[in-house]
Amino acid sequence: MSGVAAGGLLLTGAGYAPTRSPARSLRQDPFGVGLASGDPSADGFVLWTRLVLDPLGLNGRGGMPARDYDVQWQVATDERFADIVRTGTETAAWRSAHSVHVELQGLQPGREYFYRFRADGHVSPAGRTRTSPAGLSPLTFAIAACAHYEHGYYTAYKRLAEQEPDLVVHLGDYMYEYQPDGYTAPGGNIRHHSGGQKCATLADYRMRHAQYKSDPDLQAAHAVAPWLVAFDDHEIENNWAGEKSSSGAPAFERRRASAFQAYYENMPLRRASLPHGAAIKINRRVAWGDLAQFHLLDTRQFRDDQACEDGVRAGCDDRLDEKRTLLGQDQHRWLLSGLKASQARWNLIGQQILMAQKDYKLGPGSEVNLDSWDGYAAERASLLRGLKDVANPVVLTGDAHMHHAAELHADPGDPDSKAAVELVTSSIASDGDGYRDVERTAAVLAENPHISYIDQRRGYILARLTPDTLTADFRTLDYISRRGAPARTSARFTVPSGERSLV
Ligand SMILES: [Fe+2]
């Protein structure tokens, strides 16, 4: 409960009681950045909102008065809130940029719930969420990543929401730190970041998150299902690695702490992910009954600096150094022991960067991306060898701004050493409209025979998981520089249980 309450509002079983607030200090709707839910368990989930009057308000404060507010919340089994099963009050504190996290327990497994908030007499729209099931009930989930706001409309989020998945997995680059027009899409930017500089301060990161979350298509995607989120680089800074800024940004530890705080404040994360200074816990496991175990990774905070000054390069022997780590030793051990202990039918490893080796150079010689797992080849080999006795491992990836479907071989180049399959989602918006270049794609696939599919258009993946099969629909949009593009399935792959290959 807040010490500075908004006037002793009460909720009743039938709905919200009339306001007894002496004076309403929030004259406008404070739910301008929507609501969200996340990290479902069999008996609960996290509910999130942040009170914002003006997303671009001064100092990242969203135009909010300098005081705390009480926020009431309700959870119901029906969309009309006739059957309210839980209610409560949380403080939207000034020091937390008026963000609210509610962690629920004690609900029924495998069912849909609806939730809404109320602050100072204003009632939010309703969101839908769900608890994870017991047993082997099927799961439909969407995979998304990379949503540069300036590069296009969020039609892919809208289409994803229309498909009403049970769960959304977001693998990072949820927002981008660049200054306005600091990164221009190939076809030009169609809208613009606010603020005058690249994100550096807590105020900058808070405002950037609020600007992104003001988008109605993103709000719709949050309101339809619980999300599992894990950041990549741009939530902090392009291609950062551990304690190292890639741009030599001053006071990088402070910048990291600011970015982590704003990330936590703006995401439906459990308290276990509350940052402590420049440290945050994002790697975690989320179970979906006996069907699936999600293992979400942090591929930024514990990694060694990129080899050979980063980029797509040829001839970098350092990338093969056995001592190099991407996950850090602790996380690497945590991942392998959790994979081995998992009793789930499917083990879904949600992470950021391309795990499949990829030669970007057509013809003789090779060039690889040193920011991806190719820059940490020895650790990748050890991880893939460790998947041998793991039930149905599937790697889920973002970052690449193009769809890929690939097979991962413990012994690169030996198609008999199948370790896992990798599904890489294209971007929601980053790099603009995208394109389809059939000839070049065929040449890249010929160069990389373990990769079955590449598509450079925007989109997301919709996956359907049953005890027997994973089916992945690669959804693509022809344009995002205008609104209204339909999404269609441009490729469908099936992974039968027990196989580690794409059909
Ligand atoms: Fe990205």
Side-chain angles (χ1 to χ4, degrees):
M1 288 292 288
S2 162
V4 194
L9 304 182
L10 291 172
L11 299 171
T12 69
Y16 292 106
T19 178
R20 285 187 274 117
S21 174
R24 282 172 56 165
S25 65
L26 297 177
R27 293 180 187 284
Q28 279 164 260
D29 174 16
F31 296 104
V33 294
L35 38 77
S37 69
D39 280 23
S41 62
D43 75 337
F45 34 70
V46 182
L47 303 180
W48 172 92
T49 192
R50 177 180 166 197
L51 304 185
V52 164
L53 297 171
D54 167 15
L56 307 183
L58 199 63
N59 296 327
R61 289 298 189 172
M64 288 291 292
R67 49 165 285 194
D68 295 351
Y69 286 86
D70 269 7
V71 175
Q72 290 83 37
W73 53 267
Q74 293 179 323
V75 174
T77 58
D78 66 310
E79 211 163 350
R80 298 173 173 216
F81 290 83
D83 179 29
I84 293 168
V85 292
R86 301 289 286 277
T87 64
T89 302
E90 287 283 329
T91 303
W94 165 255
R95 70 180 158 77
S96 308
H98 297 104
S99 60
V100 172
H101 294 79
V102 183
E103 267 183 64
L104 279 131
Q105 293 170 317
L107 299 172
Q108 298 297 311
R111 69 168 300 164
E112 186 175 70
Y113 288 96
F114 297 86
Y115 62 98
R116 63 185 178 185
F117 298 96
R118 175 183 174 145
D120 210 17
H122 301 275
V123 179
S124 76
R128 178 170 55 182
T129 188
R130 59 177 59 245
T131 50
S132 56
L136 289 165
S137 311
L139 163 67
T140 300
F141 67 103
I143 310 165
C146 297
H148 196 305
Y149 182 86
E150 297 185 318
H151 289 187
Y153 294 110
Y154 285 166
T155 317
Y157 278 141
K158 184 185 170 85
R159 300 296 173 233
L160 176 166
E162 287 164 357
Q163 293 200 278
E164 302 192 357
D166 300 323
L167 185 71
V168 177
V169 181
H170 198 292
L171 297 168
D173 290 354
Y174 182 96
M175 62 76 122
Y176 283 70
E177 83 287 12
Y178 296 110
Q179 69 272 28
D181 295 312
Y183 167 12
T184 305
N189 289 348
I190 58 130
R191 47 189 187 174
H192 304 281
H193 283 158
S194 64
Q197 61 170 5
K198 174 175 153 179
C199 288
T201 66
L202 179 55
D204 296 335
Y205 285 108
R206 280 172 166 166
M207 193 198 286
R208 188 60 55 81
H209 275 286
Q211 182 176 22
Y212 275 53
K213 278 227 169 66
S214 68
D215 185 282
D217 294 334
L218 174 54
Q219 289 182 17
H222 275 299
V224 81
W227 285 37
L228 307 181
V229 300
F231 56 71
D232 191 13
D233 54 336
H234 288 287
E235 287 89 343
I236 294 87
E237 189 198 38
N238 180 46
N239 284 13
W240 67 288
E243 283 157 21
K244 274 219 156 77
S245 159
S246 62
S247 70
F252 187 60
E253 192 178 343
R254 197 181 331 141
R255 190 176 298 221
R256 246 173 60 165
S258 299
F260 290 166
Q261 183 174 338
Y263 187 74
Y264 177 80
E265 285 172 355
N266 285 281
M267 293 294 157
L269 287 165
R270 291 183 180 269
R271 270 183 290 276
S273 293
L274 189 69
H276 299 280
I280 188 170
K281 173 103 170 140
I282 285 297
N283 63 296
R284 61 197 191 281
R285 283 188 250 280
V286 176
W288 195 267
D290 299 325
L291 182 71
Q293 178 78 265
F294 287 90
H295 309 257
L296 295 161
L297 303 188
D298 177 339
T299 56
R300 290 287 162 191
Q301 205 176 176
F302 310 109
R303 70 154 79 190
D304 289 330
D305 198 13
Q306 290 88 351
C308 305
E309 296 179 345
D310 210 350
V312 175
R313 285 173 196 274
C316 170
D317 289 342
D318 283 357
R319 75 184 183 91
L320 307 172
D321 186 338
E322 302 233 329
K323 290 191 289 296
R324 291 177 56 66
T325 182
L326 182 77
L327 300 176
Q329 280 184 6
D330 289 352
Q331 186 180 201
H332 190 103
R333 269 196 297 268
W334 168 88
L335 175 60
L336 283 179
S337 64
L339 284 165
K340 284 182 178 139
S342 169
Q343 299 292 311
R345 185 69 60 98
W346 296 87
N347 283 284
L348 307 171
I349 303 169
Q351 55 100 48
Q352 289 71 39
I353 48 177
L354 191 67
M355 193 175 284
Q357 74 269 23
K358 184 175 180 186
D359 179 5
Y360 285 75
K361 188 170 168 21
L362 301 182
S366 83
E367 287 178 5
V368 300
N369 180 359
L370 296 168
D371 184 58
S372 75
W373 281 90
D374 271 327
Y376 304 80
E379 186 176 14
R380 172 176 60 196
S382 132
L383 173 60
L384 293 178
R385 282 194 303 269
L387 296 180
K388 194 161 173 282
D389 301 317
V390 173
N392 291 318
V394 177
V395 177
L396 312 176
T397 303
D399 182 60
H401 302 183
M402 45 181 117
H403 286 319
H404 295 68
E407 291 178 359
L408 302 174
H409 303 137
D411 202 353
D414 175 4
D416 290 332
S417 66
K418 289 184 176 68
V421 298
E422 183 176 20
L423 306 174
V424 183
T425 188
S426 186
S427 65
I428 292 289
S430 305
D431 286 336
D433 283 339
Y435 55 91
R436 191 149 177 262
D437 183 337
V438 178
E439 224 168 89
R440 173 159 173 96
T441 301
V444 174
L445 294 179
E447 194 78 30
N448 296 278
H450 54 288
I451 302 179
S452 305
Y453 170 63
I454 289 178
D455 197 314
Q456 308 209 183
R457 291 171 295 187
R458 305 289 74 89
Y460 59 95
I461 298 172
L462 192 80
R464 172 94 175 151
L465 194 60
T466 72
D468 302 326
T469 322
L470 168 67
T471 306
D473 286 357
F474 285 86
R475 307 279 295 164
T476 56
L477 289 77
D478 284 339
Y479 55 88
I480 56 164
S481 55
R482 289 166 291 126
R483 294 186 194 274
R488 54 193 139 87
T489 300
S490 48
R492 169 175 290 178
F493 290 92
T494 302
V495 184
S497 173
E499 311 280 322
R500 296 173 187 225
S501 49
L502 298 159
V503 179

